[in-house]
Amino acid sequence: MANYFQSLLLLTIILYTTSMTLAQAPAPAPAGPTNITKILEKAGQFTTLMRLMKNTQLSDQINTQLNNSNQGMTVFAPTDNAFSTLKAGTLNSLSDQQKVQLLQFHVLPIYLTTSQFQTVSNPLRTQAGDSGSQLNITTSGNSVNITTGVVDTPVSNTLYTDGTLAVYQVEKVLLPMSLFGPPSPAPAPGPLKKKKAGSDDDTPTTDDGSASADASGGVVCGGHLHGIYVGVIGIIAAFYL
């Protein structure tokens, strides 16, 4: 009987200790909010992109947008090697606002899976917004290629996808036409136009007000020629009188 009570007491102590241990154990931590910087850190080889995102505060904007709305997002992430192949001084030549625009050009305001690349409608609007900040996506089998009008680059790897955010590795920095396209041509000169009748000078002029030249290369001055004619006629009349 004594052994029975001893065993029962021991069992009671064990159960009590076990219940206390379980009660004190921390609960599993919930999954944290989406963080684009942590995704790039884990993937490696994206130091330059992370620095630019931090300096322009774009990483904070992306995280806030992802965690406070149902809007999906697709990010194309150039590697450090992609930035190193840019012409020397390219990034330093950009203003802070242009750097933001360049980074926003790498972000689509929609979530795209690799299979959706096959059926997407071009051109795609980016977070940069304007008409010079659109890109085109083409596919060939499982290969996906991005064209900006300035550069072409393949999508080489899927870094992250969760149904809301997709991050894809690209091998070149996506350069938008709005920042890196050819300069606009200079406007053509305006057509010639004459001054109104009755003005002091009837010399044809261009839209900028400059006088036009006659065929001999001189400037047509109607008022001066009229004075010469009158003088010659006066001399002839005086000779015959």
Side-chain angles (χ1 to χ4, degrees), residues 34-37 40 53 57-69 71 73-75 103-104 106-107 127 165 167:
T34 303
N35 188 309
I36 184 66
T37 302
L40 295 174
M53 283 187 165
Q57 299 183 341
L58 183 64
S59 55
D60 293 337
Q61 295 176 22
I62 291 175
N63 293 336
T64 299
Q65 184 173 337
L66 286 171
N67 294 304
N68 292 280
S69 71
Q71 182 178 1
M73 188 177 296
T74 300
V75 176
L103 292 178
Q104 288 178 331
H106 291 72
V107 181
Q127 289 280 65
L165 171 66
V167 183

Side-chain angles (χ1 to χ4, degrees), residues 165-183:
L165 171 66
V167 183
Y168 299 103
Q169 177 179 323
V170 291
E171 301 307 314
K172 290 183 181 179
V173 179
L174 305 182
L175 303 178
M177 287 287 291
S178 57
L179 291 179
F180 299 93

Side-chain angles (χ1 to χ4, degrees):
M1 181 64 69
N3 291 336
Y4 173 80
F5 281 110
Q6 288 177 355
S7 299
L8 183 61
L9 179 61
L10 180 61
L11 179 61
T12 302
I13 293 173
I14 292 173
L15 292 174
Y16 178 80
T17 304
T18 302
S19 64
M20 289 295 294
T21 302
L22 292 174
Q24 293 174 0
T34 303
N35 188 309
I36 184 66
T37 302
K38 290 183 178 180
I39 293 170
L40 295 174
E41 282 180 346
K42 183 177 181 180
Q45 65 177 338
F46 296 97
T47 304
T48 304
L49 178 60
M50 288 189 294
R51 184 181 73 248
L52 286 171
M53 283 187 165
K54 179 180 179 181
N55 292 342
T56 60
Q57 299 183 341
L58 183 64
S59 55
D60 293 337
Q61 295 176 22
I62 291 175
N63 293 336
T64 299
Q65 184 173 337
L66 286 171
N67 294 304
N68 292 280
S69 71
N70 294 324
Q71 182 178 1
M73 188 177 296
T74 300
V75 176
F76 297 111
T79 63
D80 291 333
N81 184 62
F83 279 101
S84 69
T85 60
L86 290 175
K87 183 179 178 181
T90 296
L91 294 179
N92 291 334
S93 68
L94 300 178
S95 66
D96 291 341
Q97 181 58 40
Q98 288 173 329
K99 289 177 182 177
V100 171
Q101 185 179 350
L102 174 62
L103 292 178
Q104 288 178 331
F105 188 63
H106 291 72
V107 181
L108 303 180
I110 55 174
Y111 171 77
L112 290 178
T113 64
T114 53
S115 62
Q116 288 174 320
F117 285 140
Q118 305 283 341
T119 57
V120 74
S121 297
N122 290 312
L124 289 173
R125 182 175 65 88
T126 67
Q127 289 280 65
D130 61 48
S131 58
S133 296
Q134 297 176 330
L135 51 81
N136 294 290
I137 292 179
T138 56
T139 59
S140 178
N142 293 326
S143 300
V144 180
N145 195 74
I146 300 176
T147 303
T148 73
V150 180
V151 297
D152 298 335
T153 184
V155 174
S156 56
N157 191 22
T158 300
L159 302 177
Y160 180 85
T161 180
D162 63 3
T164 301
L165 171 66
V167 183
Y168 299 103
Q169 177 179 323
V170 291
E171 301 307 314
K172 290 183 181 179
V173 179
L174 305 182
L175 303 178
M177 287 287 291
S178 57
L179 291 179
F180 299 93
S184 301
L192 294 176
K193 61 181 180 180
K194 287 189 175 182
K195 292 182 178 292
K196 293 181 179 179
S199 63
D200 293 338
D201 187 0
D202 292 334
T203 305
T205 62
T206 61
D207 284 340
D208 61 4
S210 59
S212 63
D214 63 9
S216 63
V219 176
V220 179
C221 300
H224 292 173
L225 291 177
H226 178 72
I228 294 173
Y229 294 153
V230 171
V232 172
I233 292 173
I235 293 172
I236 295 173
F239 179 79
Y240 285 102
L241 290 177

